[in-house]
Amino acid sequence: MSVGTLHGLAAVEQQIAQACRDARRARDSVTLIAVSKTFEPDAIAPVLAAGQRVFGENRVQEAKAKWPPLITEHAGTKLHLIGPLQSNKVKEAVALFDAIHSVDRPSLAEALGKALPASGRAIELFVQVNTGEEPQKAGVAPQEADAFIAACRDQWGLTISGLMCIPPVDEAPAPHFALTAKIAKRNGLANLSMGMSADFATAIEFGATHVRVGSAIFGHR
Ligand SMILES: *Cc1c(COP(=O)(O)O)cnc(C)c1O
């Protein structure tokens, strides 16, 4: 049991509460996703014991290997997929995750459109926007987002709940958060998955409803 982890969780909780006060937002308008990728169940257990119930993983196989017993032992635990999803892993992902933050291309949207009704599960979907237009990064380009969101709904029958972004590491995140919020607003999407350990307070200022925080809780990977 790591005292460091609990310090991290408590500190992040305090900073979220402060950011919500500063932005005149209700604390419950922001969901903390504790990003547990690469950490073993031993490191996750104290965070579950402290009451945290929403976790993020970036790989389907890793999540499948470590989460099912933890979910059984801790009622109400929700898992969010925050990393890229291959179309051939959609069935597995839909069986395990409660939210997918990386809907970013027609082939994946089509596969989800088939797998979701078959699974009978309600899964929250976020379209990932590549706000920095970085060639190596996943996500739809900002200028393609409106058409993609409409196609998700009209062509593949998906309900998109919000947008996700990962700002370029070497740039100020605020303009990327603002752009993501603007695209969400004009598409009538209520949720914004944005903000990581280094910038979640800024993301909350710009309207984040879901912050994805890993190292500030669990330590360095
Ligand atoms: C790893 C990861 C995070 C968490 O990053 P930290 O800097 O450790 O908080 C958030 N979002 C995504 C998409 C990630 O892959």
Side-chain angles (χ1 to χ4, degrees):
M1 176 124 171
S2 156
V3 173
T5 301
L6 292 182
H7 276 321
L9 179 66
V12 167
E13 273 296 350
Q14 271 183 15
Q15 289 162 35
I16 291 173
Q18 185 62 50
C20 286
R21 282 193 294 273
D22 292 346
R24 300 183 186 281
R25 296 181 54 190
R27 169 64 190 88
D28 67 5
S29 69
V30 179
T31 298
L32 169 61
I33 303 171
V35 177
S36 51
K37 65 186 186 196
T38 77
F39 288 95
E40 299 293 328
D42 279 358
I44 299 170
V47 178
L48 278 162
Q52 175 67 25
R53 285 295 177 271
V54 185
F55 291 84
E57 290 282 344
N58 67 336
R59 289 161 173 271
V60 176
Q61 292 316 115
E62 180 185 342
K64 233 183 126 174
K66 71 188 188 193
W67 274 99
L70 293 170
I71 291 171
T72 306
E73 287 159 23
H74 302 274
T77 298
K78 304 285 183 200
L79 266 194
H80 289 228
L81 179 64
I82 60 170
L85 177 56
Q86 294 168 353
S87 298
N88 64 1
K89 299 253 171 69
V90 161
K91 232 175 142 175
E92 288 169 285
V94 159
L96 180 62
F97 289 94
D98 299 284
I100 296 172
H101 293 238
S102 50
V103 181
D104 66 350
R105 59 192 190 281
S107 59
L108 175 58
E110 187 181 358
L112 285 166
K114 288 184 186 144
L116 278 172
S119 74
R121 300 195 69 227
I123 293 177
E124 212 181 345
L125 300 177
F126 294 78
V127 166
Q128 183 173 352
V129 183
N130 186 358
T131 56
E133 302 187 57
E134 298 171 278
Q136 82 285 6
K137 203 169 265 177
V140 296
Q143 63 275 13
E144 287 163 10
D146 296 1
F148 182 69
I149 293 161
C152 283
R153 182 187 58 222
D154 301 335
Q155 242 177 293
W156 301 299
L158 301 176
T159 300
I160 300 297
S161 106
L163 301 181
M164 182 270 239
C165 77
I166 308 172
V169 285
D170 54 352
E171 289 183 28
H176 297 274
F177 297 153
L179 174 59
T180 306
K182 187 173 136 191
I183 297 170
K185 191 167 183 212
R186 70 174 181 238
N187 284 281
L189 301 176
N191 291 302
L192 292 168
S193 167
M194 52 192 205
M196 312 187 354
S197 290
D199 55 20
F200 64 85
T202 305
I204 288 168
E205 187 187 334
F206 283 85
T209 59
H210 294 71
V211 293
R212 312 177 307 267
V213 181
S215 49
I217 296 172
F218 291 100
H220 289 292
R221 288 183 293 270

